Structure formats: C-alpha cells, structure tokens
Amino acid sequence: MADTEEKTQGQLLSEQLSFKIKNVWETAGEKELAEAGDFAVEYKRFLDLGKTERECTGLCCEALEKAGFVPLEDRLDSGGALQPGDRVYRNLRDKALLCAIIGERPVEEGFTIVGAHLDSPRIDLKTNPLYEDSGFALFDTHYYGGIKHYQWTAIPLAMHGVVIGRDGQKKNICVGEKDGDPVFTISDLLPHLAQEQMEKKAGEFFSGEELDILAGSRPYRDGKVEEKVKLSVLEILNQTCGMTEEDFASAEIEFVPAFKAQDVGLDRSMIGAYGHDDRSCAYAAFRALLRFASCAGAPGKTIVCFLSDKEEVGSMGNTGAESRALENFLAYLGRLTRGPGFSTSDLRRALEKSSMLSADVNAAYDPNFASVYDKKTASWFGRGMALSKYTGRRGKLGGSEANAEFCHRVQAILDKNGVRWQYGNLGRVDKGGGGTIALYAANLGIDVLDCGIPVLSMHSPFEVISKIDLYTTFRGYIAFLKDA
Ligand code: MN
Ligand code: MN
C-alpha cells in the first residue's frame, strides 16, 4: 500500500522546500464553505442595490450608522475627543467614504488600513445629451474607464444618477432595475450588413462617439412642434424627475448593465455580475472592518477602511485616492485622539508606521487566452486571495512595488490565520499592465501591498469571480486588520 510506504528522501525534501498552492474548495472545512455561500448571497444583494459609486456609498453609510459609527464632522465641530473603541466615518461628497475604529494604541504607532474603490467602468451621459435623429430620441454619451466599446452594445442598460432641478432639489434617478421598468440599449449592426465593420480592428469598429443610447421613438402628438420624439422623452423626464433639458448640464447620469448578479456554473461556484471591479474587494474590505464593530472592546491599532472613487480614470479629483482625503482623515483622527498638540510631524511619523492593503481585483488566468498570462504568477480561480507584489507595465513602469519585508509580514499574517493566498501578477511581461490606488498611499510613506480577488472578463458588463476567493479575501482583510 502506497500510504504505508516510507517517503523517499526526494519526496521529503520536496515537501520541505517547494511551495504548493492548493485549491480552497478542496481544503476548506464545511463551516467555511457554508459561510462562503452565505457571504456570496449578501454580496450579490449589495451589487444589485449598488450599481454606482453613489449608491454604494449610500448603502455603506447606512450600514455604518446601524453599527454605531458617527460622522467625523460631528466630533470636529463639537471639539470632542475620540476614545479607543469609538467609531467614526466620513462621507466624501456621497461618492466615496472613509471609516475607522479607534484602537487602544496611540496613532503614532501607525494605522492599519484597507483601501478599495467603488467606481466601475460604465457609460456616462454628455452634458447636452438628448437629440433626435430619424424618428429616434437618443442619448449622446462619453464612456467612463477602460472599456471594450463593442461589449456594451446590444445589452439591456439601466439609467442611474442624480439630477438637480431649477429649484435646487436633488433627485435620484433609477430606471431599469425594477420588474416592469423599461431598459435602454445601444444598437449594433446586423451581421448581414456588417461586412465593412467586421474588417475593422476590434478597437475601431465601435468608436466612443458611436455609443449612443436609444431613449425613445414615439412622437409627441402636436403638428406644430419640431423634434416631437425628443419632446415626448423630455416630457417623461420632467414628469418623473422634475428635470428640464438644461439640467443635464450639471447632472451625473450613468448607464450600467440592467441585469442582476447571478450564480455561474452548474456547481454555482462563481458569481457573474456588473462591477466586481472593485466592489468585490470594497465589499470584502468594508465587511471586514464592520466585523470589528460587532466585537466588544477596541482593536490594537486604529483600523481604517477607505472606499475611493475615480480609480478607473486615474484616481484624480477630490473623491479619488490621489486627493488628500485619506491623509486629512488620518490627521483628524490624530488630533481627536491625541489632542490639539498632535502636530504635522506626528502625522508624518504615524503615516510612516502605517500599513495598508490596496484591495483591488486581479486578472484571473483564463484558459481561453492562455498566451497573455504567465501561469506561474497569474492568479487562479479557487486559490484564494491574490497578492500582487508589484503593478505597472513594461518594466514595472508607473506602478507600486511592496518591499520584501512588508510582503513577508502580510504573508505571515495570512498563514497564521489560515488564509490561503496565491500570486497575482498581471499577465506576461510586456503584454500590457495596470495600476491601482497603492502608489498614492505609498507616496504618503505607508507600507502598501496590492491584493484582491481574481476576476474574469474584467471591465466587461458581466465580470466573473469565484465565491471561495471572495470569502477567503474577506477573511484575509480581517486577519490583516487584526494583526498588522
Ligand atoms: Mn480596480
Ligand atoms: Mn478597473
């Protein structure tokens, strides 16, 4: 019998020296598997309710209020102090947020942070979008983030956003999500007439300017007016949202896939949905921080969750990670916990001692496109949380690289807590690349490592992740917040 045979010297040496990554579906206990299933159900609900950065921010703020977090502004205005165990948050213009639980140890010893982003690629309206052509009313658009244009045609789209009317009243728009709602779509050319289109390169056969959305086709019944189809669409917008054409100039209206998150595969091991990048990591990070709010007592160091906006367009702007939002938040926490004597140099010291996980999705190995991946360093479905030591492109340009000491520390924390991790490097050398919010935190002096959930079809309307990777990553963020 093989299992009673003594192991050879080579087998023993191999066990001792080689690193073998296992599939978490095969190694996890029954309890963990059941919890992963429940977590996936809650995550899918979050995705269905939060399809824009604003909606996700709203959902998170609601959960924070329920968990006893108070707006940081209240404490700043009242001049009150913060004690270990106190919970505060900051809503950044309804599009991003920061939240924290104050730890036992002074902030000069550093903060422990998990940061992710809430924005996802989508189709935005232009500032003067509505026009009529050939009996159709159409919306003119400008896409947001790195999309393959053709993937967004001939699918149902929903309209989300905010509009501010002449009276200054802000109204939320959401059309296409409820049963019975109308949806929208971008038309594509029938194959019968697509001979010229099909000869073009994929990057050219749908230009950004051609992504116009069908908004209506029924004329207003009045012989004396021009552009009757456009007028009847304007009438409906006025009746439902109280808006006029002028209000498009300031509005933020985003078109996103109208379908809901669904299980994928006969074994239901995967989730297909719009917005896994980066709501899967944002949700896992946020839930990890909330876990500490349900525990008695305070964490060791002060723990922080940063859910930013604008990552898909370079993290610029006052809700993006390149802004001072994180730094300011930590400065305020310093002053409120340490008193008015907390200086700029105290903040610098705290930043240099801080640790962060940049929680963002990773390009999962796809057997359909094997030539662009390096199997040895790519992330794989089912193998747990993917650690990306570095990002960037063509010679690591423009990315962030974590140092050996910090990588080792994170790996040790994950090992200690029984959290399975794997490599997560983006593709073969010189095949492309990408970045995250990590470099903005690194610029502040914070030690930061990119890590997250492997995803297939990234930036498409229907991205796919593994349920076990989602849950393992959630457990990884908890371990980091507890032990870093
Ligand atoms: Mn991302
Ligand atoms: Mn992205």
Side-chain angles (χ1 to χ4, degrees), residues 112-360:
T112 305
I113 308 160
V114 182
H117 66 94
L118 289 175
D119 61 316
S120 297
R122 58 176 193 251
I123 313 265
D124 285 347
L125 284 194
K126 285 190 181 179
T127 47
N128 182 17
L130 187 60
Y131 69 97
E132 179 168 337
D133 190 346
S134 319
F136 293 109
L138 293 134
F139 283 129
D140 202 355
T141 67
H142 195 145
Y143 63 97
Y144 173 97
I147 62 167
K148 288 168 144 179
H149 301 155
Y150 66 85
Q151 290 183 331
W152 293 71
T153 67
I155 58 167
L157 298 169
M159 181 184 191
H160 291 244
V162 294
V163 60
I164 301 169
R166 279 187 189 150
D167 55 1
Q169 290 278 349
K170 185 159 95 177
K171 281 225 169 108
N172 292 317
I173 296 177
C174 182
V175 182
E177 297 292 349
K178 287 196 297 290
D179 282 346
D181 266 7
V183 294
F184 305 83
T185 194
I186 299 167
S187 59
D188 194 358
L189 189 57
L190 63 168
H192 319 64
L193 294 178
Q195 197 176 316
E196 275 175 35
Q197 185 197 39
M198 298 299 275
E199 278 162 16
K200 290 183 187 172
K201 287 188 194 161
E204 291 163 6
F205 73 68
F206 247 102
S207 73
E209 201 57 75
E210 283 167 336
L211 295 174
D212 289 358
I213 295 169
L214 283 177
S217 68
R218 181 171 170 171
Y220 190 89
R221 283 161 68 112
D222 183 334
K224 298 216 167 138
V225 289
E226 304 276 298
E227 300 195 304
K228 295 173 194 159
V229 181
K230 177 179 166 182
L231 184 64
S232 73
V233 167
L234 275 175
E235 186 189 29
I236 294 164
L237 284 170
N238 185 260
Q239 285 165 350
T240 53
C241 314
M243 70 180 290
T244 66
E245 190 173 23
E246 181 189 353
D247 302 328
F248 279 118
S250 60
E252 286 176 18
I253 299 178
E254 309 173 3
F255 283 80
V256 298
F259 35 75
K260 291 188 178 350
Q262 282 185 291
D263 287 350
V264 171
L266 285 170
D267 57 7
R268 296 180 176 267
S269 60
M270 299 168 278
I271 304 170
Y274 164 66
H276 286 317
D277 179 7
D278 183 31
R279 292 170 193 148
S280 58
C281 294
Y283 184 74
F286 181 70
R287 285 285 306 268
L289 185 116
L290 276 191
R291 173 63 69 93
F292 291 83
S294 61
C295 302
K301 289 183 186 171
T302 293
I303 58 174
V304 177
C305 177
F306 180 23
L307 302 182
S308 72
D309 176 33
K310 293 281 180 279
E311 194 275 344
E312 295 297 355
V313 290
S315 291
M316 282 75 155
N318 60 8
T319 54
E322 202 191 358
S323 74
R324 292 285 177 97
L326 175 64
E327 193 182 349
N328 289 348
F329 184 72
L330 301 179
Y332 296 139
L333 293 185
R335 209 190 79 200
L336 290 170
T337 55
R338 308 297 284 159
F342 189 77
S343 67
T344 308
S345 61
D346 292 334
L347 174 66
R348 301 284 153 226
R349 268 180 64 205
L351 289 169
E352 285 165 5
K353 288 192 179 163
S354 295
S355 315
M356 173 165 156
L357 293 184
S358 163
D360 208 342

Side-chain angles (χ1 to χ4, degrees), residues 380-384 422 453-454 466-473:
W380 292 60
F381 265 36
R383 294 186 178 181
Q422 56 172 327
I453 296 161
S466 158
K467 289 181 180 176
I468 203 70
D469 296 333
L470 171 70
Y471 188 68
T472 305
T473 302

Side-chain angles (χ1 to χ4, degrees), residues 388-392 396-402 436 438-440 442 448 450:
S388 309
K389 189 175 192 299
Y390 54 86
T391 56
K396 302 186 178 181
L397 278 184
S400 176
E401 176 152 11
T436 64
L439 68 161
Y440 307 109
V448 55
D450 278 300

Side-chain angles (χ1 to χ4, degrees), residues 442-465:
N443 284 347
L444 298 173
I446 300 170
D447 268 325
V448 55
L449 173 64
D450 278 300
C451 60
I453 296 161
V455 59
L456 287 177
S457 306
M458 197 192 293
H459 286 200
S460 80
F462 196 69
E463 302 174 323
V464 183
I465 63 166

